[in-house]
Amino acid sequence: MTIGNGHFWNRMKILFLMIILIMSAAMLTACRGAGTQTEKSGTEEPGKAGSETAKTAKETAEEEETAKTARKTAEEEESAEPGDGNEADPDIILGDERTDIYLPMLDGKRVALFTNQTGIVGNRIEIDTDSEAEHAREDENTDTGSTDAGSIQVVEDAGTDSMGDKEDAGADSLKAKEDAGADSFTGGEDLIPFGQTGDGSPVEYGEHIVDALVRQKVDLTVIFVPEHGLRGKDDAGAQVQDSVDEKTGLPAISLYGSGAAYPSSADMDRFDTLVIDIQDVGLRYYTYYITMYYLMDACAAAGKEVVILDRPNPNGFYVDGPVLRDEFVSGVGILPIPVVHGMTLGELAQMINGEGWLSCGKDSCLLTVVPCENYTHQKKSSLVINPSPNLKDMRAVYLYASTCYFENTAFSVGRGTAFPFEIYGSPYITGNDEYDFFFTPESMEGAVSPAFEGQECYGKNLRGLPLRQIWDEKINLEYVIDAYRAIQEQNPGISFFGQPDGSGHYWIDILFGTDRVRGMIEEGAGPREIEQSWQTEVEAFKEKRRPYLLYEE
């Protein structure tokens, strides 16, 4: 079941403008008709007739100009793509802001919550608006870069909060937008990391969904947490321990790495309704949706309700990559979907339920999705907080679909540096002019004992790529293919893809959900040829998912 989905205001605006245009044209015709009749009858006094004729000409010119303006505005509204930075685009309102819809559903219920550090109501932050506004005006006066697509939408997405009266994070300034984790759409290293302002100061986040529910007297009994833990600081793949939320005293039960992907029967007995509010990034090997799947499966078996407070998918504007094959099901991929599925968690949950992928069969989960308002899949909405420790800014979120395949290869993907997934390099590459960027991974929070720790790695720096280019490229296999060929030339004895597991699968096979991609790389195929190999299954998936979409494509 989906509640409160509406996206017609832009069309209503266009219709209104067209009505004005038609009325203006009708008035123009009437005025011209009156002038002609006067001339034909010859009954008016000469002076009066001349005066009326002059007045009609003046009015006609004004009305033609009005009609021209209305027509131009209507055409611009009609041609504007959703999320392209057009000022008419309304703010995105997240599911967790729509309290009038979901709070009545929770009344009298014991409630469990699946969330982590990303569950900021309205996806918003606090900024010092007094000091930032002046800097922003200076920036806007000097900036020559493009501000289309998401740089305006990002702030609109971050600046809507129905649960507090703090200052809007969406100030009309490029500086404020960058503080919210956006990008000015120019190349370079100017993308401010999550959690920092322009001067490097930490930001203050808005209200968390845990605190919001407790404040509104919801009977919250337990919190379920995914990979990286409740605060999102544990290493990738690290075991997450059960804990207690310091602020509320609520139990925080780990469903990742603790030996059980499903809640225990005792934990299931704690609640009647499960609420899900967590930020995903839309890739099949990103594990939050997997925990959601197990929770839905458990709730379906126990007859528990599931309510998803939906959020935009930052990679929701495209679908790409091969569909997972059964033999490659793993802890980083459990559903027959492409690498980039282009769906929000709410949409994906509807597909999981509707396709019968749960143990209890088709539509076995008592599912309700509270959708976002004013979101379409083409809107580029920025996050305001790390979704996980090694995605540190929005460029990393977008590059993740192209650079994750360096994991467990002869290359480092930058874990143990300030820019993981935005750089890559290897200690086995030296003296190569194509790989002249270098870095040394070090152990740090969120990346303890990273690959090639303490070793100088030579490779490439992708931080100068404009976001528009990354969006257009989608999954870009050139990085991995070029690196593979460089290793083959300089160190042919090194296994670029690392070592296979007991089933003969390499980690890149697990990530892609097939060994076809690795096989084609080893056979010398180029990026376009490999990408073409999965287009048929991508199109078939897009048709299959269509009934479950909540937002315009």
Side-chain angles (χ1 to χ4, degrees):
M1 178 171 62
T2 304
I3 295 179
N5 189 15
H7 306 283
F8 62 89
W9 293 112
N10 279 347
R11 290 190 176 87
M12 291 297 292
K13 186 182 298 180
I14 294 170
L15 179 60
F16 180 69
L17 289 169
M18 294 303 294
I19 290 171
I20 292 176
L21 176 59
I22 293 168
M23 291 177 63
S24 298
M27 292 174 62
L28 175 59
T29 301
C31 289
R32 284 176 172 169
T36 303
Q37 182 62 36
T38 300
E39 292 169 4
K40 287 181 178 179
S41 66
T43 58
E44 297 290 339
E45 297 176 11
K48 185 175 181 180
S51 174
E52 289 294 326
T53 302
K55 181 179 179 182
T56 300
K58 181 180 179 181
E59 288 177 345
T60 298
E62 291 175 349
E63 288 159 359
E64 286 179 341
E65 184 62 29
T66 300
K68 180 180 179 182
T69 301
R71 185 164 52 250
K72 181 180 179 181
T73 303
E75 289 171 353
E76 289 173 350
E77 290 282 350
E78 183 67 33
S79 63
E81 295 182 4
D84 69 353
N86 187 290
E87 293 182 0
D89 283 346
D91 293 347
I92 293 177
I93 299 175
L94 304 190
D96 62 14
E97 297 179 89
R98 306 183 71 183
T99 54
D100 57 323
I101 294 176
Y102 67 84
L103 285 182
M105 301 170 60
L106 308 181
D107 188 34
K109 304 289 183 65
R110 298 173 304 150
V111 177
L113 179 65
F114 173 46
T115 192
N116 63 0
Q117 80 285 353
T118 65
I120 304 300
V121 176
N123 193 36
R124 61 186 298 280
I125 61 173
E126 299 301 305
I127 59 173
D128 184 351
T129 54
D130 291 336
S131 61
E132 296 293 347
E134 185 60 37
H135 289 303
R137 282 191 289 272
E138 295 174 2
D139 290 346
E140 287 178 333
N141 289 336
T142 58
D143 180 48
T144 57
S146 169
T147 57
D148 64 336
S151 64
I152 290 176
Q153 185 58 45
V154 161
V155 169
E156 293 177 339
D157 296 348
T160 53
D161 183 16
S162 63
M163 305 184 72
D165 56 1
K166 298 177 183 178
E167 288 294 326
D168 189 352
D172 291 331
S173 66
L174 184 59
K175 184 68 173 176
K177 294 160 193 171
E178 291 176 337
D179 290 345
D183 185 21
S184 62
F185 296 90
T186 58
E189 300 175 14
D190 57 352
L191 192 65
I192 297 173
F194 293 130
Q196 295 181 18
T197 62
D199 61 3
S201 303
V203 300
E204 180 181 343
Y205 292 103
E207 190 173 32
H208 193 276
I209 186 63
V210 171
D211 304 322
L213 293 179
V214 170
R215 176 175 59 79
Q216 295 179 94
K217 310 302 181 185
V218 172
D219 185 13
L220 193 58
T221 59
V222 61
I223 304 169
F224 293 117
V225 297
E227 183 179 10
H228 308 299
L230 181 58
R231 301 302 172 188
K233 295 184 177 181
D234 293 343
D235 280 9
Q239 181 171 333
V240 178
Q241 303 292 335
D242 292 349
S243 62
V244 174
D245 179 50
E246 294 180 2
K247 187 171 182 179
T248 63
L250 290 167
I253 306 301
S254 169
L255 296 180
Y256 186 87
S258 59
Y262 285 86
S264 68
S265 58
D267 290 330
M268 291 297 294
D269 288 340
R270 293 175 186 261
F271 68 93
D272 307 305
T273 301
L274 170 69
V275 173
I276 296 175
D277 185 17
I278 193 168
Q279 181 63 61
D280 193 60
V281 299
L283 276 74
R284 191 187 62 228
Y285 45 68
Y286 203 68
T287 62
Y288 296 166
Y289 82 92
I290 297 177
T291 301
M292 179 185 76
Y293 169 87
Y294 289 131
L295 281 167
M296 289 178 62
D297 205 35
C299 287
K304 309 280 187 177
E305 295 177 312
V306 176
V307 178
I308 297 180
L309 310 181
D310 214 11
R311 290 172 171 266
N313 175 0
N315 284 303
F317 55 94
Y318 71 107
V319 178
D320 205 6
V323 171
L324 177 72
R325 295 183 180 178
D326 289 344
E327 64 183 289
F328 293 95
V329 169
S330 71
V332 293
I334 62 170
L335 299 179
I337 58 178
V339 173
V340 184
H341 53 73
M343 306 174 79
T344 67
L345 283 184
E347 292 173 320
L348 183 57
Q350 292 197 147
M351 189 172 191
I352 289 170
N353 205 27
E355 289 297 309
W357 292 341
L358 298 174
S359 300
C360 293
K362 181 179 175 64
D363 296 325
S364 57
C365 182
L366 301 174
L367 175 66
T368 300
V369 178
V370 181
C372 305
E373 285 190 295
N374 307 322
Y375 170 65
T376 74
H377 283 281
Q378 295 309 309
K379 284 189 175 181
K380 311 296 193 304
S381 60
S382 177
L383 312 182
V384 298
I385 190 171
N386 298 58
S388 53
N390 288 285
L391 293 177
K392 301 187 179 185
D393 59 39
M394 285 306 297
R395 187 173 284 113
V397 171
Y398 296 129
L399 282 169
Y400 188 48
S402 299
T403 57
C404 189
Y405 312 112
F406 284 109
E407 299 271 37
N408 295 331
T409 69
F411 270 68
S412 164
V413 74
R415 290 187 187 270
T417 75
F419 303 102
F421 300 103
E422 300 177 72
I423 59 177
Y424 59 91
S426 173
Y428 304 115
I429 295 289
T430 56
N432 187 327
D433 292 341
E434 294 292 319
Y435 293 84
D436 56 355
F437 174 75
F438 62 91
F439 59 91
T440 303
E442 301 293 346
S443 186
M444 60 177 62
E445 184 180 64
V448 177
S449 302
F452 306 115
E453 179 180 359
Q455 299 182 56
E456 202 165 70
C457 297
Y458 288 84
K460 294 190 177 182
N461 176 12
L462 307 179
R463 288 180 289 160
L465 292 179
L467 297 191
R468 175 66 65 184
Q469 178 180 336
I470 301 171
W471 296 342
D472 291 344
E473 290 174 348
K474 302 177 181 177
I475 293 179
N476 187 344
L477 292 177
E478 291 180 9
Y479 308 137
V480 168
I481 291 175
D482 290 348
Y484 170 78
R485 292 173 179 172
I487 285 285
Q488 290 297 101
E489 278 187 27
Q490 188 165 14
N491 278 298
I494 298 296
S495 173
F496 175 84
F497 294 112
Q499 299 301 316
D501 62 17
S503 301
H505 299 149
Y506 292 80
W507 189 247
I508 193 172
D509 302 337
I510 302 298
L511 294 175
F512 272 117
T514 175
D515 57 7
R516 184 180 70 234
V517 174
R518 176 179 54 83
M520 293 182 73
I521 291 174
E522 291 175 334
E523 292 169 3
R528 302 291 85 79
E529 181 183 354
I530 298 174
E531 290 162 8
Q532 190 60 38
S533 72
W534 64 58
Q535 292 310 307
T536 299
E537 54 195 284
V538 163
E539 292 306 314
F541 172 78
K542 288 170 72 174
E543 285 303 311
K544 179 182 285 189
R545 74 170 189 162
R546 195 175 303 280
Y548 307 107
L549 295 182
L550 300 172
Y551 315 100
E552 292 182 10
E553 296 184 76

